Amino acid sequence: RSLEMVIGLLGILKAGAAYLPLDPSYPVERLSFMLSDAGCSVLVTQQALLERAGGLVLAQDGAANPPRLIRLDADWGAIALEPSHAPAIAIAPEQAAYVIYTSGSTGTPKGVVVCHGALSNFLLSMQEQVRLSGEDRLLAVTTVGFDIAALELYLPLIGGGTKYSAQFSEAGAFSLS
């Protein structure tokens, strides 16, 4: 969880694409399966996360092309060459916003597509119920690959509040960002 992650997710949505959240704590085999199964054409990540997932398979045997890598912390030179204006893309409510994968506890994990309309309706409904404002703070504690993560990430943004992320180190230390 980081500011770069939120910027990356918002950029993907603004570009009219859908994202597949990958939790870096997942086993490399699961991450490789998800990337392949979802047919990802771009992998937006950070260098340290890519190094941590050293055995990550970016393209399965027979795949035409591996995903293009964009490292938000290491590729600023290339990113700066991209247009700075908003893309002229109309996004329809039925268009995919993101894909999350089931746990696979009863077999092979399956991707579930969440559309822009469903995400918007959910967030607006929650905003109406919770009424977050610029004075409010929300602590995000779930993994980015869990279905409630979109609520934790985006609800504070549409209400003008602040999102804090809880992070635990491997030694068990707790920090907020």
Side-chain angles (χ1 to χ4, degrees):
R1 294 185 172 275
S2 65
L3 178 60
E4 291 83 3
M5 180 188 78
V6 175
I7 291 169
L9 295 178
L10 291 174
I12 291 166
L13 292 171
K14 189 172 185 175
Y19 66 85
L20 168 66
L22 298 172
D23 185 329
S25 70
Y26 287 168
V28 172
E29 296 78 21
R30 178 178 169 90
L31 296 173
S32 297
F33 167 78
M34 290 166 57
L35 278 168
S36 174
D37 187 62
C40 292
S41 59
V42 177
L43 175 60
V44 180
T45 187
Q46 293 177 319
Q47 184 62 37
L49 295 175
L50 198 55
E51 289 169 5
R52 189 182 316 163
L56 188 65
V57 177
L58 295 179
Q60 300 295 328
D61 292 336
N65 296 310
R68 175 179 163 216
L69 282 176
I70 298 175
R71 298 165 302 167
L72 291 176
D73 58 343
D75 293 334
W76 282 112
I79 293 169
L81 297 175
E82 296 295 327
S84 60
H85 61 278
I89 296 172
I91 299 172
E94 64 277 358
Q95 190 172 336
Y98 63 94
V99 178
I100 57 173
Y101 271 75
T102 63
S103 66
S105 60
T106 60
T108 304
K110 293 169 185 57
V112 178
V113 177
V114 178
C115 297
H116 280 271
L119 177 59
S120 295
N121 286 340
F122 176 58
L123 291 171
L124 293 173
S125 173
M126 290 304 296
Q127 174 60 18
E128 187 176 300
Q129 297 299 315
V130 178
R131 301 201 185 278
L132 286 181
S133 72
E135 329 278 286
D136 294 312
R137 311 291 180 261
L138 183 68
L139 178 62
V141 295
T142 61
T143 173
V144 69
F146 188 58
D147 63 352
I148 204 70
L151 177 70
E152 289 183 344
L153 292 171
Y154 304 128
L155 187 61
L157 298 178
I158 68 170
T162 302
K163 178 193 82 65
Y164 289 95
S165 290
Q167 298 181 4
F168 297 90
S169 72
E170 289 182 22
F174 174 76
S175 67
L176 291 177
S177 59

